[in-house]
Coordinates of all heavy atoms in Angstrom, one line a residue:
D384 N -18.1 10.1 9.1 CA -19.0 9.9 10.3 C -20.3 9.2 9.9 O -20.8 8.4 10.6 CB -19.3 11.3 10.9 CG -18.1 11.9 11.5 OD1 -17.2 11.1 11.9 OD2 -18.0 13.1 11.7
G385 N -20.8 9.6 8.7 CA -22.0 8.9 8.2 C -21.8 7.4 8.0 O -22.7 6.6 8.3
M386 N -20.7 7.0 7.5 CA -20.4 5.6 7.3 C -20.3 4.9 8.6 O -20.9 3.8 8.7 CB -19.1 5.5 6.5 CG -18.8 4.0 6.1 SD -17.4 3.9 5.0 CE -16.1 4.6 6.0
R387 N -19.7 5.5 9.6 CA -19.6 4.8 10.9 C -21.0 4.7 11.6 O -21.4 3.6 12.1 CB -18.7 5.6 11.8 CG -17.2 5.6 11.5 CD -16.4 6.5 12.4 NE -16.5 6.0 13.8 CZ -15.6 5.2 14.3 NH1 -14.6 4.7 13.6 NH2 -15.8 4.8 15.6
K388 N -21.8 5.7 11.4 CA -23.2 5.7 12.0 C -24.1 4.6 11.3 O -24.9 3.9 11.9 CB -23.8 7.0 12.0 CG -23.2 8.1 12.9 CD -23.8 9.4 12.8 CE -23.2 10.4 13.7 NZ -23.8 11.8 13.5
A389 N -23.9 4.5 10.0 CA -24.7 3.6 9.2 C -24.3 2.1 9.6 O -25.1 1.3 9.7 CB -24.5 3.8 7.7
M390 N -23.0 1.9 9.8 CA -22.5 0.6 10.2 C -23.0 0.2 11.6 O -23.4 -0.9 11.9 CB -21.0 0.6 10.2 CG -20.4 0.6 8.8 SD -18.6 0.8 8.8 CE -18.1 -0.8 9.6
M391 N -23.0 1.2 12.5 CA -23.5 1.0 13.9 C -25.0 0.7 13.9 O -25.6 -0.1 14.6 CB -23.2 2.2 14.8 CG -21.7 2.4 15.0 SD -21.3 3.8 16.0 CE -22.2 3.4 17.5
A392 N -25.8 1.5 13.0 CA -27.2 1.3 12.9 C -27.6 -0.1 12.4 O -28.6 -0.7 12.7 CB -27.9 2.4 12.1
S393 N -26.8 -0.6 11.5 CA -27.1 -1.9 10.8 C -26.6 -3.1 11.7 O -26.9 -4.2 11.3 CB -26.5 -2.0 9.5 OG -25.0 -1.9 9.6
G394 N -26.0 -2.8 12.8 CA -25.5 -3.8 13.7 C -24.2 -4.4 13.3 O -23.7 -5.4 13.8
A395 N -23.5 -3.8 12.3 CA -22.2 -4.4 11.8 C -21.1 -4.0 12.8 O -21.3 -3.0 13.6 CB -21.9 -3.8 10.4
V396 N -20.1 -4.7 12.8 CA -18.9 -4.4 13.7 C -18.2 -3.2 13.1 O -17.7 -3.3 12.0 CB -18.0 -5.6 13.8 CG1 -16.8 -5.3 14.7 CG2 -18.8 -6.8 14.4
V397 N -18.0 -2.2 13.9 CA -17.3 -1.0 13.5 C -15.8 -1.2 13.7 O -15.4 -1.6 14.8 CB -17.8 0.2 14.3 CG1 -17.0 1.5 13.8 CG2 -19.3 0.4 14.1
N398 N -15.1 -1.0 12.6 CA -13.6 -1.2 12.7 C -13.0 0.0 13.5 O -13.1 1.1 13.1 CB -13.0 -1.2 11.3 CG -11.5 -1.5 11.3 OD1 -11.0 -1.8 12.3 ND2 -10.9 -1.4 10.1
T399 N -12.4 -0.3 14.6 CA -11.8 0.7 15.5 C -10.6 1.3 14.9 O -10.1 2.4 15.3 CB -11.4 0.1 16.9 OG1 -10.5 -1.0 16.7 CG2 -12.7 -0.3 17.6
D400 N -10.0 0.6 13.8 CA -8.8 1.2 13.2 C -9.2 2.2 12.1 O -8.3 2.8 11.5 CB -8.0 0.1 12.6 CG -7.4 -0.8 13.6 OD1 -7.1 -0.3 14.7 OD2 -7.1 -2.0 13.4
L401 N -10.5 2.4 11.9 CA -10.9 3.3 10.9 C -10.6 4.7 11.4 O -11.1 5.2 12.4 CB -12.4 3.2 10.6 CG -13.0 4.0 9.4 CD1 -12.4 3.5 8.1 CD2 -14.5 3.9 9.4
P402 N -9.7 5.5 10.7 CA -9.2 6.7 11.3 C -10.2 7.8 11.2 O -10.5 8.3 10.1 CB -8.0 7.1 10.4 CG -8.3 6.4 9.1 CD -9.0 5.1 9.4
T403 N -10.7 8.2 12.4 CA -11.7 9.3 12.5 C -11.1 10.4 13.2 O -11.0 11.6 12.7 CB -13.0 8.8 13.2 OG1 -13.6 7.7 12.5 CG2 -14.0 10.0 13.3
E404 N -10.6 10.2 14.4 CA -9.9 11.3 15.2 C -8.6 11.7 14.5 O -8.3 12.8 14.4 CB -9.7 10.8 16.6 CG -11.0 10.5 17.4 CD -11.9 11.7 17.5 OE1 -11.4 12.8 17.6 OE2 -13.1 11.5 17.5
S405 N -7.8 10.7 14.1 CA -6.6 11.0 13.5 C -6.8 11.7 12.1 O -6.0 12.5 11.7 CB -5.7 9.7 13.3 OG -6.4 8.8 12.5
L406 N -7.9 11.4 11.5 CA -8.2 12.0 10.2 C -8.5 13.5 10.4 O -8.2 14.4 9.7 CB -9.4 11.3 9.5 CG -9.8 11.9 8.2 CD1 -8.7 11.8 7.2 CD2 -11.1 11.2 7.7
K407 N -9.2 13.8 11.5 CA -9.5 15.2 11.9 C -8.2 16.0 12.1 O -8.1 17.1 11.6 CB -10.4 15.3 13.1 CG -11.8 14.7 13.0 CD -12.5 14.8 14.3 CE -13.9 14.1 14.2 NZ -14.6 14.2 15.5
M408 N -7.3 15.4 12.8 CA -6.0 16.1 13.0 C -5.2 16.2 11.7 O -4.6 17.3 11.5 CB -5.2 15.3 14.0 CG -5.9 15.1 15.4 SD -6.3 16.7 16.1 CE -7.4 16.1 17.4
A409 N -5.2 15.2 10.9 CA -4.6 15.3 9.6 C -5.2 16.4 8.7 O -4.5 17.1 8.0 CB -4.6 14.0 8.8
M410 N -6.5 16.5 8.8 CA -7.2 17.6 8.0 C -6.7 19.0 8.5 O -6.6 19.9 7.8 CB -8.7 17.4 8.2 CG -9.3 16.3 7.4 SD -11.1 16.2 7.6 CE -11.5 14.9 6.5
T411 N -6.6 19.1 9.9 CA -6.1 20.3 10.4 C -4.7 20.7 9.9 O -4.5 21.9 9.5 CB -6.1 20.3 12.0 OG1 -7.4 19.9 12.4 CG2 -5.7 21.6 12.6
I412 N -3.8 19.7 9.8 CA -2.5 20.0 9.3 C -2.5 20.4 7.8 O -1.9 21.4 7.4 CB -1.6 18.7 9.5 CG1 -1.5 18.4 11.0 CG2 -0.2 19.0 8.9 CD1 -0.8 19.4 11.8
V413 N -3.3 19.7 7.1 CA -3.4 20.0 5.6 C -4.0 21.3 5.4 O -3.6 22.1 4.5 CB -4.3 18.9 4.9 CG1 -4.6 19.3 3.5 CG2 -3.5 17.6 4.9
A414 N -5.0 21.7 6.2 CA -5.7 23.0 6.0 C -4.9 24.2 6.5 O -5.0 25.3 5.9 CB -7.1 23.0 6.7
T415 N -4.1 24.0 7.6 CA -3.4 25.2 8.1 C -1.9 25.2 7.7 O -1.3 26.3 7.9 CB -3.4 25.1 9.7 OG1 -2.8 23.9 10.1 CG2 -4.8 25.2 10.2
G416 N -1.4 24.2 7.1 CA 0.0 24.1 6.7 C 0.4 25.3 5.8 O 1.3 26.0 6.1
P417 N -0.2 25.5 4.6 CA 0.2 26.5 3.7 C 0.1 27.9 4.3 O 1.0 28.7 4.1 CB -0.8 26.3 2.5 CG -1.2 24.9 2.6 CD -1.3 24.6 4.1
I418 N -0.9 28.2 5.1 CA -1.1 29.5 5.6 C 0.0 29.8 6.7 O 0.4 30.9 6.9 CB -2.5 29.8 6.2 CG1 -2.9 31.2 6.1 CG2 -2.7 29.2 7.6 CD1 -3.1 31.8 4.8
L419 N 0.4 28.8 7.4 CA 1.5 28.9 8.4 C 2.8 29.1 7.7 O 3.7 29.9 8.2 CB 1.6 27.6 9.3 CG 0.5 27.4 10.3 CD1 0.7 26.1 11.0 CD2 0.5 28.6 11.3
L420 N 3.0 28.5 6.6 CA 4.3 28.7 5.8 C 4.3 30.1 5.2 O 5.4 30.7 5.0 CB 4.4 27.7 4.7 CG 4.6 26.2 5.2 CD1 4.6 25.3 4.0 CD2 5.9 26.1 6.0
A421 N 3.2 30.7 4.9 CA 3.1 32.0 4.2 C 3.3 33.1 5.3 O 3.7 34.2 4.9 CB 1.8 32.2 3.4

């Protein structure tokens, strides 16, 4: 998030393919997967 905000503040074009929302979901899977299996 900090990298995206810095790019927007500097006027650079933010890459829409940079996974932010999908990264949050992937983090949820990685964080909850082992406890669900146990």
